[in-house]
Amino acid sequence: MIELRFHSRGGQGGVIAGKLLAVAIFKEGKFVQTFPTFGVERRGAPVMTFVRISDKPIRLRNQVYAPDHLVVLDPSLLQFFDVLQGLKEGGIILVNTEKDIPNSTFPIASVPWLSCRQNRHPP
């Protein structure tokens, strides 16, 4: 089973990203599970979205505490929360930023999604 955890802020699209990934994987014939967790806060509050992918039915019904990979849509969350908590050895972190990320024991890929979107759809 592959487990992913998305870290974002309310309104940023982390929940939708998890759902889109889950639908795509489901259409490939895999078993998938996705759900978010957030408090009663409004737009801009931290949100986590969990995605599980497996060749077999998924019986777990809890948060992903030890993800294989992470997606961080808001790089400021790296400063305020331990988003790397529980990340398995060999895990990859995708971060939505053009800036360099401080050294980590995990591979980090900085992917400026907003720039990619703007370049893809010129005015």
Side-chain angles (χ1 to χ4, degrees), residues 20-32:
L20 287 172
L21 178 61
V23 168
I25 297 297
F26 178 77
K27 288 185 176 189
E28 291 294 319
K30 304 272 187 183
F31 291 91
V32 66

Side-chain angles (χ1 to χ4, degrees), residues 37-112:
T37 181
F38 46 85
V40 297
E41 300 90 351
R42 301 183 128 201
R43 181 177 297 271
V47 175
M48 287 190 293
T49 302
F50 310 105
V51 178
R52 288 189 175 99
I53 304 164
S54 181
D55 293 325
K56 300 174 184 175
I58 300 170
R59 307 274 185 233
L60 294 173
R61 297 290 183 254
N62 59 332
Q63 295 182 17
V64 173
Y65 295 103
D68 294 288
H69 308 292
L70 293 173
V71 177
V72 181
L73 297 181
D74 183 352
S76 73
L77 294 171
L78 294 167
Q79 300 170 6
F80 302 111
F81 301 96
D82 186 11
V83 299
L84 304 181
Q85 183 179 10
L87 182 61
K88 292 178 184 171
E89 187 174 327
I92 297 173
I93 307 163
L94 292 178
V95 181
N96 178 27
T97 185
E98 294 177 339
K99 298 178 182 178
D100 289 332
I101 304 295
N103 290 338
S104 170
T105 57
F106 297 96
I108 297 178
S110 298
V111 182

